[in-house]
């Protein structure tokens, strides 16, 4: 199912726009009916949700939805489990709002936020640049 | 024949979340050619135009994205037998099994094994030849340089993959000591040059046929890469990706490692693809090129000189 099918299934909302608010920082952006949350963010000035593949595979854009209704397209089970989904933890790039949303940014659990050196003890490669950028985001 | 043993990357099997958008991407945007599909439509087999063998890409609809396995063509059934014995006795691999001929259309027996970084690899010796459709008076007779009716980006071949996994040392040992690959380039920590972060491996004259980067994960795919002839074609690929609203990760730019000109982008399931041109010719006596961790930025993206955030953290 694509997003336009979904808008058809909710005829009242076609011309509607929803407000997506990032809880921790109170930044928010508009999302057109039928548009996914990550695309809407990328079209705004907000940069709070990490952007990866934009296609439901990598888990970079994981968010949890504290309030509001939404639908999702298929998400890779490697990054969103059934229990994640039941707990309203979803991928922003596969989530289409049906109302205003309040969301919390989870992001991928990778690279580990503690990786301070180039190569951490578990062999993880992380760069100073990626680190700085990750910090800038918070 | 100087090039013996493992000849080349033969196929990569990718998991996709939904087949229809995946096919639109791989056929109409990337420009591969469908050669077969399973009766239930769960797997589709494709090849690039200049590959003679039946297929080089397998798409399988699944619940998660990523790579199922990577197959290598070897020069003969005798070599296959010898390498299987070597794999069995080296103790580096798990889950060894034979996949019967015909399980992939037009393909002989495949030997499958799990390597130390968690990836499934296969060796096989036989695959039906479909040809490249360039011949003007029968297959391979008086050929044109390229066939009619190419679509999209139209790379000439599936070329290599970059894979992420934990036990890089074990995988490196397997590829160099058992499978006969050579190390063309390496990324190591400057403080401890014995600690390898990245290994670029070749079984041919190419700068790499497969590469591994050490990450504390198992069996992950960073990208599957397809060959274009030139920098101009990489730029044209960028135009096609933009026109089709395909998510570009980075590029067009140049890799320091292998010197390839490149663009990274994502398929509709989030698997990263690359098309690239250039690079150098590798000979087995070429000295190994070394990059230090502190220079990983220009090693990967030579112009930006720093990794984009997605390079290390986005994979399937
Ligand atoms: S950005 Fe990759 S899953 Fe959303
Ligand atoms: Fe590559």
């Amino acid at each position: 199912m694509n997003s336009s099918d979904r808008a058809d299934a909710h005829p009242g909302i076609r011309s509607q726009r929803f407000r997506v608010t990032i809880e921790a920082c109170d930044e928010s952006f508009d999302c057109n009916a039928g548009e996914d949350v990550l695309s809407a963010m990328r079209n705004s000035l907000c940069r709070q949700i990490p952007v990866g593949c934009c296609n439901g595979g990598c888990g970079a854009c994981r968010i949890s939805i504290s309030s509001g209704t939404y639908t999702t397209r298929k998400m890779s089970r490697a990054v969103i489990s059934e229990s994640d989904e039941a707990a309203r933890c979803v991928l922003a790039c596969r989530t289409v709002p049906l109302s205003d949303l309040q969301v919390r940014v989870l992001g991928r659990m990778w690279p580990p936020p503690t990786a301070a050196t180039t190569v951490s003890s578990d062999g993880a490669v992380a760069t100073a640049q990626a680190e700085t950028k990750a910090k800038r985001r918070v | 024949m100087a090039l013996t043993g493992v000849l080349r990357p033969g196929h990569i099997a990718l998991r996709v979340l939904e087949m229809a958008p995946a096919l639109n991407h791989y056929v109409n945007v990337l420009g591969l050619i469908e050669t077969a599909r399973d009766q239930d439509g769960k797997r589709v087999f494709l090849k690039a135009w200049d590959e003679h063998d039946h297929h080089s890409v397998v798409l399988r609809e699944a619940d998660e994205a990523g790579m199922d396995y990577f197959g290598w063509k070897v020069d003969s059934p005798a070599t296959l037998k010898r390498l299987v014995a070597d794999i069995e006795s080296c103790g580096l691999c798990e889950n060894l099994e034979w996949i019967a001929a015909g399980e992939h259309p037009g393909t002989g027996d495949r030997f499958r094994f799990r390597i130390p970084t968690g990836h499934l690899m296969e060796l096989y010796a036989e695959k039906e030849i479909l040809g490249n459709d360039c011949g003007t008076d029968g297959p391979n007779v008086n050929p044109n340089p390229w066939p009619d009716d190419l679509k999209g980006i139209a790379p000439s071949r599936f070329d290599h993959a970059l894979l992420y996994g934990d036990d890089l040392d074990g995988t490196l040992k397997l590829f160099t000591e058992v499978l006969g690959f050579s190390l063309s380039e390496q990324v190591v920590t400057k403080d401890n040059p014995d600690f390898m972060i990245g290994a670029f491996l070749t079984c041919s004259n190419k700068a790499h046929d497969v590469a591994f980067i050490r990450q504390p994960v198992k069996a992950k795919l960073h990208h599957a890469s397809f060959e274009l002839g030139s920098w101009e074609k990489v730029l044209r690929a960028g135009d096609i990706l933009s026109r089709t609203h395909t998510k570009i990760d980075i590029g067009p730019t140049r890799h320091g490692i292998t010197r390839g000109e490149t663009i990274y982008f994502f398929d509709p399931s989030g698997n990263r693809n690359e098309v690239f041109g250039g690079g150098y010719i590798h000979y087995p006596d070429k000295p190994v090129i070394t990059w230090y961790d502190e220079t990983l930025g220009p090693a990967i993206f030579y112009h930006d000189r720093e990794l984009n955030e997605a390079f290390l953290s986005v994979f399937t």
Side-chain angles (χ1 to χ4, degrees):
Chain A
M1 189 196 271
N2 62 38
S3 40
S4 57
D5 293 339
R6 195 164 280 105
D8 290 343
H10 302 272
I13 64 172
R14 181 178 279 289
S15 57
Q16 244 173 299
R17 295 161 100 191
F18 300 115
R19 197 79 188 156
V20 178
T21 306
I22 312 279
E23 267 181 7
C25 61
D26 246 12
E27 272 187 53
S28 62
F29 51 89
D30 279 334
C31 188
N32 294 315
E35 188 181 24
D36 69 82
V37 170
L38 195 67
S39 298
M41 184 201 75
R42 291 170 63 213
N43 289 333
S44 78
L45 294 175
C46 178
R47 287 293 174 269
Q48 294 291 330
I49 306 172
V51 177
C53 67
C54 299
N55 282 321
C58 75
C61 67
R62 282 158 50 103
I63 54 174
S64 83
I65 309 223
S66 343
S67 73
T69 54
Y70 57 93
T71 58
T72 54
R73 288 180 59 201
K74 194 168 174 184
M75 303 180 281
S76 178
R77 275 284 172 247
V79 292
I80 293 286
S81 67
E82 279 172 52
S83 58
D84 284 341
E85 220 175 314
R88 296 164 65 87
C89 168
V90 294
L91 300 175
C93 65
R94 295 291 222 178
T95 299
V96 177
L98 299 174
S99 75
D100 291 352
L101 298 182
Q102 295 264 350
V103 310
R104 212 150 46 84
V105 178
L106 304 173
R108 193 179 187 118
M109 299 294 110
W110 178 257
T114 50
T117 52
T118 307
V119 178
S120 65
S121 52
D122 58 356
V125 185
T127 63
Q129 302 133 2
E131 275 291 291
T132 334
K133 280 184 188 155
K135 278 184 201 124
R136 222 178 288 149
R137 229 181 18 234
V138 184
Chain B
M1 179 167 61
L3 186 55
T4 58
V6 179
L7 295 180
R8 63 168 172 274
H11 52 246
I12 186 165
L14 298 172
R15 294 186 294 268
V16 299
L17 299 177
E18 296 162 314
M19 189 55 86
L23 274 180
N24 180 55
H25 172 83
Y26 282 96
V27 173
N28 295 321
V29 179
L30 184 55
L32 304 183
I33 299 157
E34 179 178 334
T35 58
R37 65 171 74 192
D38 286 343
Q39 296 231 304
D40 61 5
K42 288 287 181 205
R43 288 188 309 177
V44 176
F45 298 81
L46 308 123
K47 76 182 212 38
W49 68 264
D50 203 20
E51 292 171 315
H52 290 266
D53 286 1
H54 184 279
H55 59 268
S56 61
V57 171
V58 187
L59 303 177
R60 180 174 75 85
E61 198 169 87
D63 283 341
E64 53 185 82
M67 183 183 86
D68 275 337
Y69 50 87
F70 186 132
W72 297 91
K73 181 140 191 219
V74 306
D75 65 21
S76 66
T79 296
L80 180 59
K81 235 175 128 180
R82 173 176 64 77
L83 288 172
V84 167
D86 293 347
I87 290 165
E88 282 168 343
S89 64
C90 76
L92 289 164
C93 300
E94 294 172 345
N95 307 120
L96 316 187
E97 61 173 326
W98 282 98
I99 313 291
E103 198 274 339
H104 271 198
T107 308
D109 291 327
R110 288 135 61 207
F111 184 72
R112 184 181 287 176
F113 49 102
R114 191 177 297 283
I115 64 173
T117 38
H119 306 89
L120 286 176
M121 294 280 154
E122 295 182 347
L123 301 179
Y124 67 93
E126 292 163 323
K127 202 180 265 182
E128 181 189 343
I129 288 184
L130 295 183
N132 66 1
D133 212 19
C134 288
T136 59
D137 199 8
N140 307 306
V141 179
N142 304 328
N144 289 316
W146 39 270
D148 281 337
D149 302 326
L150 295 178
K151 282 187 190 167
I153 296 169
S156 66
R157 63 170 182 259
F158 165 57
D159 186 86
H160 67 268
L162 171 57
L163 306 174
Y164 277 5
D166 52 0
D167 185 2
L168 179 60
D169 308 303
T171 285
L172 177 68
K173 191 173 159 72
L174 173 77
F175 273 82
T176 53
E177 293 178 20
V178 181
L179 298 174
F181 284 59
S182 32
L183 185 67
S184 58
E185 306 201 23
Q186 60 179 348
V187 184
V188 300
T189 52
K190 196 173 184 184
D191 299 342
N192 176 12
D194 290 335
F195 187 77
M196 200 176 285
I197 295 169
F200 292 72
L201 294 155
T202 177
C203 61
S204 66
N205 256 169
K206 288 154 54 187
H208 62 333
D209 289 293
V210 67
F212 294 91
I213 287 185
R214 187 192 301 270
Q215 293 279 50
V217 290
K218 284 273 185 207
K220 292 298 181 185
L221 170 72
H222 185 272
H223 67 262
S225 184
F226 300 84
E227 199 269 346
L228 293 174
S230 70
W231 169 236
E232 191 187 351
K233 285 182 182 163
V234 175
L235 190 63
R236 178 177 170 274
D239 296 343
I240 292 170
L241 295 168
S242 177
R243 180 195 299 203
T244 55
H245 299 268
T246 305
K247 171 66 176 142
I248 293 173
D249 181 17
I250 194 167
T253 181
R254 182 197 286 280
H255 290 309
I257 297 174
T258 76
R259 296 184 208 147
E261 300 127 12
T262 177
I263 184 165
Y264 282 163
F265 50 100
F266 293 103
D267 82 3
S269 307
N271 297 308
R272 194 187 274 96
N273 294 164
E274 173 185 46
V275 289
F276 80 101
Y280 54 79
I281 302 236
H282 171 89
Y283 288 98
D285 60 344
K286 179 187 77 65
V288 176
I289 293 171
T290 297
W291 299 84
Y292 291 135
D293 51 350
E294 61 189 22
T295 329
L296 197 57
I300 304 291
F301 300 123
Y302 188 65
H303 299 156
D304 284 357
R305 301 192 74 83
E306 62 174 64
L307 296 184
N308 67 342
E309 217 169 315
F311 184 84
L312 290 171
S313 62
V314 174
F315 48 79
T316 53

